[in-house]
Structure formats: structure tokens, C-alpha cells
């Protein structure tokens, strides 16, 4: 494969503060670099590292030089299978293919090569076996916006008799992001803080979106679903969208309702998620987050 060398000038507002959601829809050029077991995607204000040692899941997300999601644990999908955790940093996930798609060309990545790929839209795609599931995790870096779009697909290959739970999405959100709001199924807004650092789970609701904010950095992160996904109720704590309020981070989980749906061998299903970092003053972040959380159809 021939490496591309591209020089790009990306212009942003002088103030650097988002006052209009449309400002997120900027055309960006994305650059992929592979080195030493890390695949790094950068573009505009976003940098995302994928880590081979945790089954090619995201290790960190950086926005405007601030780490907003860190390697305090694992991101991606993890399940319990035969009473063991399987996937991401827990092990047991068999990765069959890890590729970067750019301009219609797919480049397979092992982590050993030194590669640079540049394009206006990038997709990072993993195909793996995760217990009884055949899993395809596609994360898109689009040409028309500064965000990440996840499309996770699952096909059931074995009986779910020994299946326990599925955390479809996990994100180790940095601990300075203490304020959050959730858009609930009835469109009401729940506002709270994860500031106790006591290891308890908070939120524990089905939601259309969950938005975090850091007063220190004036940065928000919107985790937006295209619809309200039904969450599982595994116990009094492990319910649907939950935030683990701990000293290292405020980790967001989506515990998906799988067993409740009566899936059989051969059935397929998907979960989509849009992750949108943004800048905002303290009196702006809620309105911006709510607006971002209203989006559907992606």
C-alpha cells in the first residue's frame, strides 16, 4: 500500500467556544497512524487511540488536548459467558479482522506495521467472536462532523443458556466530568453529579442520551442513541445506563436487554451510538447537550 502525504489547513473559530450545534458539523480530514500496537486516529480537535492489547478497543479519546476517556479500564463490548467476563481487556475475545477503511480501500492492521492513512472519512472496523456472538464493531469518523459514530452488530451463533449480561458500550469518562444529565424516555431531563468517588452506581435508567460536563475544562461529552434502547436489570445496581462513580473515573455503561428479548441462534441485532465532544460555557452546556441528544436516525 502506498502511503499518502497530505497537507491540510483546518480553520476553527477564534474564540474556540461552541455556541451553535451546527458548529460541530465541520468537514475534517482524518489521519490514521499505526505504530507499536496502537492505531491512532486524529482529525480537527479529536484523537482516538485503539489498543491491540485490549482486542482493538478504544484506549483513549482526547479532545482539544484534554483526555476525556482514558485507559482506566476498557471500552467496547464485554459479556459474561459461563460466569466469566469475556471481551476487551478481560480476554477471551477472538479478533478475526481489524481494518481501516478509507476512500473505498480497506487496509488490514496487525499493529506491527508503520502505516499512515489520510482521508475525509475513516472507518475502523473489527470482526471478532465474543462468546456466543459473532461481533462486528464499526466506528466511523465522518467527513461532515467532529464526532464518532459507533455501529455494533451481533449475530448469535450458540445458545444463550450460559450467557449472563452484555455491556454493549463502556466508556471510562475522566473524573473531572462530574456533572451529567440524561434525557429519559418521556423526554424529561434528569440532572445530577457523580462526585462522591465512592464506587457506587448512579443514573440506572433507560435513556435517549447521557451528557457529561467538566466545569474545569469547559468541555462536554454527549453519548447519544438513535432511539431509547431497552436496558437490562441485572440487580439493583446493574441497570441499563449506569455510571460507576469511582476515584479513577466516572465510567458509563450500557447494560443491554438481551436475555429479555428471547433471542435464538441465528438472530441478529445492532446498537448504534454517537459520541460528540463539545466546548461550552457553564451556562451553555445543558442546552447544547439536550439539542445533541435529540438527534435520531443514525
Amino acid at each position: 500500500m502506498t502511503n499518502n502525504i497530505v497537507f491540510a489547513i483546518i480553520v476553527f473559530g477564534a474564540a474556540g467556544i461552541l455556541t451553535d450545534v451546527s458548529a460541530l458539523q465541520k468537514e475534517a480530514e482524518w489521519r490514521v497512524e499505526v505504530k507499536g500496537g496502537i492505531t491512532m486516529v486524529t482529525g480537527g480537535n479529536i484523537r482516538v487511540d485503539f489498543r491491540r492489547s485490549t482486542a482493538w478497543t478504544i484506549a483513549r479519546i482526547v479532545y482539544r488536548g484534554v483526555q476525556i476517556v482514558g485507559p482506566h479500564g476498557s471500552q467496547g463490548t464485554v459479556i459474561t459467558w459461563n460466569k466469566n467476563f469475556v471481551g476487551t481487556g478481560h480476554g477471551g475475545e477472538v479478533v478475526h479482522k481489524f481494518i481501516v477503511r478509507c476512500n473505498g480501500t480497506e487496509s488490514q492492521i496487525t499493529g506491527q506495521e508503520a502505516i499512515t492513512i489520510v482521508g475525509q472519512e475513516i472507518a475502523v472496523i473489527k470482526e471478532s467472536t465474543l462468546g456466543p456472538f459473532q461481533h462486528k464493531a464499526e466506528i466511523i469518523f465522518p467527513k461532515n462532523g467532529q464526532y464518532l459514530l459507533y455501529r455494533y452488530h451481533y449475530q448469535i451463533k450458540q445458545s444463550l443458556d450460559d450467557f449472563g449480561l452484555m455491556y454493549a458500550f463502556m466508556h471510562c469518562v475522566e473524573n473531572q466530568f462530574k456533572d451529567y444529565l440524561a434525557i429519559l424516555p418521556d423526554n424529561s431531563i434528569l440532572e445530577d453529579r457523580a462526585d462522591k468517588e465512592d464506587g457506587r452506581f448512579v443514573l440506572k435508567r433507560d435513556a435517549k442520551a447521557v451528557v457529561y460536563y467538566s466545569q474545569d475544562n469547559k468541555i462536554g461529552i454527549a453519548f447519544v442513541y438513535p432511539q431509547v434502547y431497552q436496558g437490562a436489570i441485572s440487580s439493583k445496581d446493574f441497570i441499563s445506563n449506569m455510571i460507576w462513580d469511582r476515584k479513577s473515573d466516572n465510567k458509563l455503561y450500557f447494560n443491554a436487554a438481551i436475555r429479555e428479548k428471547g433471542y435464538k441462534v441465528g438472530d441478529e441485532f445492532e446498537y448504534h451510538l454517537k459520541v460528540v465532544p463539545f466546548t461550552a460555557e457553564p451556562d451553555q452546556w445543558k442546552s447544547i447537550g439536550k439539542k445533541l441528544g435529540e438527534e435520531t436516525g443514525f
Side-chain angles (χ1 to χ4, degrees):
M1 184 184 69
T2 302
N3 292 345
N4 298 312
I5 300 176
V6 177
F7 296 92
I9 298 174
I10 303 173
V11 180
F12 298 94
I17 299 298
L18 176 67
T19 57
D20 187 342
V21 172
S22 64
L24 293 168
Q25 309 303 314
K26 299 288 188 183
E27 188 165 302
E29 191 139 57
W30 300 99
R31 182 182 185 90
V32 182
E33 298 177 88
V34 183
K35 186 176 181 181
I38 298 292
T39 296
M40 182 172 65
V41 183
T42 56
N45 291 315
I46 296 176
R47 167 189 158 189
V48 180
D49 292 355
F50 295 82
R51 183 171 51 186
R52 182 180 57 191
S53 62
T54 53
W56 285 121
T57 53
I58 289 174
R60 58 171 48 87
I61 301 173
V62 177
Y63 179 66
R64 290 182 175 266
V66 176
Q67 183 167 286
I68 60 177
V69 171
H72 312 292
S74 293
Q75 335 307 328
T77 298
V78 71
I79 67 169
T80 55
W81 174 243
N82 292 321
K83 299 182 179 180
N84 295 311
F85 281 100
V86 177
T88 66
H90 295 279
E93 181 176 358
V94 180
V95 178
H96 305 294
K97 184 186 294 186
F98 182 67
I99 64 174
V100 172
R101 186 177 65 220
C102 176
N103 300 328
T105 299
E106 294 185 348
S107 303
Q108 186 151 340
I109 306 299
T110 67
Q112 301 293 337
E113 52 282 89
I115 293 176
T116 300
I117 303 167
V118 178
Q120 288 190 327
E121 180 165 294
I122 297 289
V124 177
I125 304 164
K126 176 182 72 173
E127 296 179 8
S128 66
T129 297
L130 192 62
F133 301 100
Q134 181 176 302
H135 178 37
K136 181 179 180 180
E138 182 174 10
I139 299 180
I140 299 168
F141 299 81
K143 66 180 179 181
N144 63 340
Q146 282 282 280
Y147 59 85
L148 289 70
L149 177 60
Y150 300 53
R151 292 175 177 159
Y152 283 9
H153 178 270
Y154 310 85
Q155 183 177 26
I156 301 171
K157 307 298 285 187
Q158 300 181 48
S159 167
L160 298 184
D161 289 346
D162 295 318
F163 167 80
L165 57 80
M166 173 186 284
Y167 298 144
F169 301 114
M170 304 186 297
H171 289 87
C172 297
V173 177
E174 291 292 344
N175 213 26
Q176 66 265 34
F177 292 86
K178 299 183 184 300
D179 293 289
Y180 72 89
L181 65 82
I183 302 177
L184 303 181
D186 63 358
N187 290 321
S188 64
I189 305 296
L190 170 69
E191 298 180 17
D192 207 344
R193 283 174 59 83
D195 58 358
K196 302 296 190 297
E197 300 185 2
D198 56 4
R200 295 185 183 183
F201 289 92
V202 297
L203 183 54
K204 299 187 290 187
R205 304 280 187 95
D206 286 352
K208 173 64 176 63
V210 180
V211 184
Y212 287 80
Y213 184 68
S214 167
Q215 299 275 352
D216 295 336
N217 301 109
K218 297 183 180 179
I219 291 175
I221 320 165
F223 296 89
V224 184
Y225 305 114
Q227 63 190 71
V228 177
Y229 290 132
Q230 180 186 356
I233 301 175
S234 300
S235 74
K236 66 182 179 65
D237 284 325
F238 306 121
I239 299 174
S240 192
N241 296 280
M242 53 192 184
I243 296 174
W244 193 5
D245 184 358
R246 56 183 184 169
K247 293 181 179 179
S248 56
D249 55 34
N250 290 320
K251 188 172 183 179
L252 177 64
Y253 294 78
F254 171 55
N255 184 11
I258 305 300
R259 297 183 64 88
E260 293 87 340
K261 295 188 176 181
Y263 288 129
K264 306 295 183 184
V265 173
D267 287 346
E268 302 180 37
F269 59 93
E270 290 191 352
Y271 290 110
H272 294 184
L273 176 69
K274 195 171 184 179
V275 179
V276 190
F278 60 93
T279 55
E281 294 293 335
D283 61 347
Q284 297 175 322
W285 77 271
K286 293 178 185 178
S287 60
I288 293 172
K290 291 172 187 177
K291 183 65 176 178
L292 291 170
E294 293 172 357
E295 187 178 357
T296 61
F298 53 84

